[in-house]
Amino acid sequence: MRLAALLNEIEQSSGLVLGVDLARRLGVPPAEVAAMLTALRASGRLGTEVAVAPAMGDCSSAGSCSMSCPGPGECSLVIDVSLTALEVRRSETRVS
Amino acid sequence: MSGANDRRIAIAGCPNAGKTSLFNQLTGAKQKVGNWPGQTVEQFSGEFTVADERFEIVDLPGAYGLVAVSAEEAIAATYLAEERPEVVVTVADASNLAGSLHLVAQIAELGLRQVVALNMVDVAERRGIEIDEERLSAALGVEVVRTVARRGVGTADVKSAIARADGRQSPQLVIDYGPVVERHIGRLVEDILARPAVAAVGPARWTALQLLAGDAAMRTRIGALPAGDEVLAAAAADRDGIAAESGFAAEMVLAERRFEWITRLVGAMTGSQEPGLLWSDRMDRVLTHRFFGIPVFLGVMWIVLRVTADVTAPYLDWVDATVSGPMSRWAVGLLGLVGADGGWFESLIVDGVLAGVGAVLVFVPVLFALYLMLALLEDSGYMSRAAAVMDRAMRAVGIPGKAFLPMMVGFGCTVPAIYATRTLDSSRDRLLTGLLTPFMSCGARLPVYILLAAVFYADSKSMVVFAMYLLGIAVAVLIGFLLSKTALREDDPTPFVMVLPEFRLPNTRTVWALVRQRTGSFIKGAGTTILLASIAVWLLLALPVTGDGGFADTEIENSAFGAVSKGVAPVLDPLGFGEWEQSGSLLSGFVAKEVVVSTVAQLYAVDETAAEDAPGFAADLADVGTSFLEAGADTLRALPAVIGLDFIDLEDDTPTALQAAVRTSFEDSSGGRGQLAALGFMVFVLLYTPCMAAVAAFRQEFGTRWMWVSVIGQFAIAWAGAFIVFQGGRLVGLG
Ligand SMILES: Nc1nc2c(ncn2[C@@H]2O[C@H](COP(=O)(O)OP(=O)(O)O)[C@@H](O)[C@H]2O)c(=O)[nH]1
């Protein structure tokens, strides 16, 4: 049960864990951890993705501290951290 | 338009697999946009014809699998299960086949006719991944078509595959979930088939699998049917049974088995060896290392600021000389042509607009360099490593994980950083992060540091700027630590995993687009906010409140601006910058940080132009050109200095008139300790309210009460910081 072991490892951490760290702890290549994470995600065990971009919906053209931040669109001064973060879904919410 | 005879096709796929690209290729311009029923998620649909047969095609939201986690996935899963489209085109990413197959497998288990578009084969080929699509096709019982959706390769094949699949018997994929699970599936299937309403939902095995996986949508659907409760109760018993017999939750056993099935399939297909360590992974071991990560991050920041502050200096001087020299002369000349010279109007244009906006535009090369460096870091993938490193450091002191996302954004601009706190889920974390992001030194503060550092710390300009950035992080960490120990105590943080994108060479086009866009908005800011602020400051300066001057003809000390600034000045006196000019520029800096620079330029309005003999227009133009080339040469010569190889001394020893005026002013206000006072001033600028837009954003996100807490708090911290620098420095005999 490799997926269960991985999930267990994640749940025992608090806050952010990196894929590379999980790979190190489980002794498997990072690419394999990535595949396992996708499997957990596809099976509904890892939850919503977090990225910076979606939160920017309300901030358009907030040019260098311009006075307003109106309407949806993209904000040119957002630094793109471009990563995928997967949140653990608490298993309590899943018990039928 | 769609008629009753149209066949319905759905297009599904993981996010970023290329679904939209393929959809656009299939439908061309014939698209409709609407909303999914009862949802804010947009629904795209369109149509196409193949062999005289018309198909209506719906683009489903991205989904990794059919056990829905997000709202988007729920829409896709519900549509597929309830509408049962004629054919599903599933877009799979060939460069990450295993990741894509979960969805493909689940759709096949649902028993829908499927065409798999094996997309991104170009990327896969580049990485040396070969996929035997015949075997894939045989294993899944579906037709597999290779595509490069971005370039439209394979679109015609997808169309004909759809036409072939339409009307064909739809095979249902059966994955062996192992004896324990299969026994429970068998039992549950019997329960389902015994109840006609539930049996009508779809293939019984599929219904059983979803119930065993604990899928909420399926539970709701079954619960609403006659005798549905009985099936739900049976499913719950089977879930418990699986858990008891296998020692793992039912959904975990299902996930594990499906994962194994896919791994085996992909292994057979690609003849895949065990994936080894990529060089990107090796680099990550160092870059995200618990201890080494931090010095690497600091080193990278140092290089960024070194390039920004030093290498661009020649261009800065060039823009400065052009704006204060030829451009001012041309403006005056133009005004003379229309007969508007000499009066208050000339003063508005020259002392107000040109001095103010010009002083900010001078920093375009600096911001350009900063944005270029940031874009390179972003596009190469380093930024996410930096975020991870910062997160570690911050979590060690109790600041929530994920706070680093908005904080990294804050290095660009505070306003989007405050909105970015929406990515945090608990309101406590959001507020805490919102309170901290303003301390991250945004791009607009850079001109202030550079202006003052050039005057007082010419030999160690980038070091001083670097120190400001570090101080901002340190203050954020300290305040975060204090808040999380007191007012905003931490609750149990949800663990989450971050997958770092692979390192890659930055793409020239992406980088250029980013740089252009950001530098553009800095310039736009100069043309709007800064322009308005400059005019407002000019008006206040022109308005006499004491003395006997008239409008636009008063000693600036006697102006409205002077009066207000003088009122505030005593507060700043202990900090070593209690001259009214200094308090005045800090006051106007509430609007935006660049305004500090434009106001300084207006207040010390130094007539550089009048002193010189005005050369002719042609001479001016030639001068602008040659000095630009010289700036380019100087920059090239300055590059080695970034890595510590100082071949030449580039510092321009003759300060501009503005620089001289600033120096005199700080020396006067601090009793001869200009350097210390200037450092304190920079610290103050770093720590006090970034700009009105940030305040407005903060209020929108966290309410008026917290807005005041943050504004007053920032002012107090800024005051304390500058006080410590100036008075502390004095005590130990610096400056
Ligand atoms: N190299 C390559 N890029 C592709 C291909 N198909 C799509 N893309 C790119 O992948 C990105 C995501 O595609 P998109 O259609 O938006 O994905 P969606 O999220 O599934 O709708 C875009 O930048 C596309 O241009 C392909 O076959 N090859």
Side-chain angles (χ1 to χ4, degrees):
Chain A
M1 296 290 284
R2 290 188 291 165
L3 294 184
L6 176 63
L7 190 62
N8 190 33
E9 195 67 51
I10 296 168
E11 278 174 335
Q12 278 174 7
S13 352
S14 71
L16 171 142
V17 224
L18 290 181
V20 274
D21 289 341
L22 290 169
R24 208 167 3 203
R25 279 190 241 160
L26 295 171
V28 296
E32 199 172 314
V33 166
M36 284 153 76
L37 288 172
T38 318
L40 285 172
R41 177 71 180 78
S43 314
R45 284 315 311 257
L46 284 180
T48 40
E49 272 174 70
V50 190
V52 180
M56 293 300 101
D58 291 14
C59 186
S60 88
S61 71
S64 177
C65 298
S66 71
M67 295 300 294
S68 63
C69 205
E74 46 180 75
C75 178
S76 57
L77 288 165
V78 174
I79 288 182
D80 177 13
V81 188
S82 75
L83 46 81
T84 312
L86 299 167
E87 225 158 12
V88 172
R89 295 184 90 197
R90 292 293 190 191
S91 31
E92 298 89 80
T93 62
R94 301 188 40 80
V95 174
S96 41
Chain B
M1 289 295 99
S2 57
N5 297 343
D6 290 355
R7 305 287 216 282
R8 271 178 309 110
I9 310 293
I11 185 162
C14 299
N16 282 321
K19 218 162 39 60
T20 310
S21 307
L22 184 63
F23 177 76
N24 291 342
Q25 292 289 347
L26 288 173
T27 59
K30 290 186 203 147
Q31 292 186 7
K32 283 181 293 185
V33 189
N35 273 4
W36 289 96
Q39 302 276 348
T40 52
V41 182
E42 281 186 333
Q43 183 196 54
F44 290 88
S45 59
E47 54 178 70
F48 67 90
T49 315
V50 54
D52 292 335
E53 193 80 62
R54 205 158 58 170
F55 293 92
E56 192 195 319
I57 183 161
V58 182
D59 187 12
L60 296 176
Y64 291 93
L66 296 183
V67 181
V69 174
S70 63
E72 282 80 9
E73 280 181 333
I75 291 171
T78 309
Y79 183 88
L80 290 174
E82 297 188 3
E83 302 292 322
R84 296 191 73 84
E86 237 69 52
V87 180
V88 185
V89 178
T90 312
V91 184
D93 177 353
S95 67
N96 174 20
L97 185 59
S100 308
L101 284 185
H102 296 278
L103 182 66
V104 176
Q106 288 182 56
I107 294 174
E109 283 184 301
L110 178 54
L112 293 174
R113 288 183 209 94
Q114 197 173 195
V115 170
V116 172
L118 196 56
N119 195 36
M120 309 253 185
V121 284
D122 53 335
V123 182
E125 264 164 31
R126 239 180 292 139
R127 297 200 193 153
I129 302 170
E130 276 173 40
I131 297 169
D132 181 347
E133 74 241 45
E134 306 266 303
R135 279 180 82 162
L136 183 61
S137 169
L140 293 165
V142 301
E143 193 158 346
V144 177
V145 181
R146 301 167 78 91
T147 59
V148 181
R150 182 153 72 179
R151 286 189 269 123
V153 176
T155 312
D157 297 341
V158 172
K159 282 186 186 171
S160 46
I162 292 171
R164 276 196 299 278
D166 182 32
R168 209 168 44 196
Q169 191 65 25
S170 53
Q172 193 184 349
L173 175 70
V174 177
I175 294 176
D176 179 6
Y177 287 101
V180 175
V181 177
E182 286 297 339
R183 188 151 32 79
H184 286 280
I185 293 176
R187 202 143 61 200
L188 194 50
V189 164
E190 276 172 33
D191 285 325
I192 291 167
L193 291 176
R195 290 160 182 88
V198 181
V201 161
R205 184 179 167 88
W206 164 255
T207 309
L209 280 172
Q210 288 296 85
L211 287 175
L212 290 180
D215 181 55
M218 185 59 91
R219 272 205 317 260
T220 315
R221 198 168 163 207
I222 302 295
L225 297 172
D229 294 349
E230 295 162 27
V231 174
L232 288 186
D238 281 313
R239 275 169 60 84
D240 291 345
I242 294 173
E245 288 168 59
S246 70
F248 293 98
E251 66 267 21
M252 283 310 293
V253 184
L254 288 173
E256 190 86 37
R257 286 294 179 151
R258 193 180 294 127
F259 177 60
E260 279 171 14
W261 186 84
I262 289 173
T263 313
R264 228 175 303 126
L265 178 63
V266 172
M269 201 100 49
T270 56
S272 148
Q273 49 325 56
E274 277 290 289
L277 267 188
L278 300 167
W279 67 274
S280 183
D281 298 329
R282 287 182 214 280
M283 275 179 72
D284 278 339
R285 298 228 153 153
V286 179
L287 293 180
T288 63
H289 190 273
R290 198 166 297 278
F291 305 115
F292 303 136
I294 293 176
V296 172
F297 172 58
L298 295 181
V300 168
M301 257 181 72
W302 165 245
I303 293 176
V304 168
L305 294 174
R306 194 78 219 261
V307 169
T308 307
D310 285 354
V311 176
T312 61
Y315 282 106
L316 201 103
D317 293 342
W318 173 74
V319 182
D320 186 25
T322 308
V323 171
S324 65
M327 271 176 61
S328 298
R329 281 196 291 275
W330 295 340
V332 174
L334 273 179
L335 289 174
L337 282 182
V338 297
D341 56 335
W344 64 268
F345 193 68
E346 181 185 316
S347 163
L348 169 65
I349 297 298
V350 176
D351 304 333
V353 174
L354 268 179
V357 175
V360 171
L361 283 182
V362 161
F363 291 94
V364 166
V366 174
L367 272 298
F368 179 87
L370 177 70
Y371 293 145
L372 175 67
M373 298 299 285
L374 288 180
L376 288 175
L377 292 182
E378 286 166 47
D379 204 44
S380 65
Y382 179 73
M383 213 47 122
S384 43
R385 273 86 184 164
V389 168
M390 267 182 67
D391 170 76
R392 282 243 180 77
M394 287 193 292
R395 201 148 33 89
V397 297
I399 301 173
K402 273 196 286 183
F404 60 93
L405 287 175
M407 295 180 88
M408 294 303 283
V409 174
F411 280 127
C413 176
T414 310
V415 176
I418 286 172
Y419 287 116
T421 58
R422 285 183 196 168
T423 49
L424 303 172
D425 16 45
S426 91
S427 52
R428 172 258 178 200
D429 288 359
R430 291 196 53 209
L431 178 60
L432 179 56
T433 311
L435 289 170
L436 301 185
T437 43
F439 295 121
M440 309 310 282
S441 191
C442 70
R445 282 173 250 200
L446 193 55
V448 184
Y449 309 151
I450 292 198
L451 175 71
L452 287 177
V455 177
F456 292 99
Y457 297 91
D459 296 334
S460 47
K461 214 164 46 181
S462 31
M463 188 50 104
V464 169
V465 175
F466 185 55
M468 288 301 133
Y469 275 78
L470 288 191
L471 181 68
I473 300 176
V475 169
V477 169
L478 179 70
I479 303 292
F481 175 73
L482 294 177
L483 283 176
S484 62
K485 285 283 167 286
T486 54
L488 298 167
R489 230 171 254 285
E490 186 169 21
D491 25 85
D492 183 25
T494 321
F496 71 108
V497 193
M498 193 163 92
V499 189
L500 299 169
E502 230 176 87
F503 265 115
R504 57 171 191 191
L505 275 180
N507 176 299
T508 337
R509 251 194 304 162
T510 319
V511 169
W512 175 239
L514 276 172
V515 172
R516 208 185 41 194
Q517 197 184 23
R518 289 174 186 170
T519 313
S521 44
F522 180 78
I523 296 174
K524 208 172 80 190
T528 50
T529 316
I530 310 300
L531 178 66
L532 289 177
S534 299
I535 293 175
V537 168
W538 178 84
L539 272 175
L540 291 173
L541 281 170
L543 215 62
V545 286
T546 54
D548 47 10
F551 181 73
D553 185 27
T554 175
E555 285 292 315
I556 44 182
E557 254 192 281
N558 297 331
S559 67
F561 191 89
V564 175
S565 305
K566 273 187 198 156
V568 180
V571 180
L572 303 177
D573 207 35
L575 313 181
F577 39 89
E579 297 266 302
W580 70 269
E581 289 96 335
Q582 293 152 343
S583 60
S585 53
L586 288 177
L587 265 183
S588 60
F590 269 107
V591 173
K593 282 292 141 305
E594 305 99 307
V595 180
V596 173
V597 171
S598 64
T599 308
V600 163
Q602 284 176 290
L603 291 182
Y604 299 110
V606 268
D607 222 340
E608 284 179 77
T609 40
E612 305 159 16
D613 285 333
F617 179 77
D620 263 345
L621 208 58
D623 190 38
V624 169
T626 45
S627 53
F628 178 78
L629 294 180
E630 277 167 23
D634 282 348
T635 302
L636 284 182
R637 287 192 298 166
L639 271 177
V642 171
I643 49 168
L645 301 171
D646 271 307
F647 291 136
I648 45 153
D649 181 20
L650 268 178
E651 295 310 334
D652 195 348
D653 291 323
T654 48
T656 64
L658 175 61
Q659 289 177 338
V662 168
R663 175 179 280 281
T664 316
S665 165
F666 273 88
E667 296 292 357
D668 286 352
S669 65
S670 61
R673 292 188 170 79
Q675 266 201 328
L676 264 185
L679 195 62
F681 190 89
M682 286 187 254
V683 168
F684 195 91
V685 167
L686 164 71
L687 300 175
Y688 87 121
T689 309
C691 62
M692 302 247 289
V695 175
F698 195 90
R699 178 164 168 226
Q700 188 187 342
E701 294 297 295
F702 304 107
T704 311
R705 199 165 62 97
W706 282 108
M707 177 197 85
W708 285 114
V709 170
S710 97
V711 170
I712 294 169
Q714 284 159 6
F715 181 80
I717 291 166
W719 196 91
F723 184 84
I724 292 169
V725 168
F726 184 66
Q727 298 295 351
R730 234 166 54 150
L731 269 185
V732 298
L734 291 175

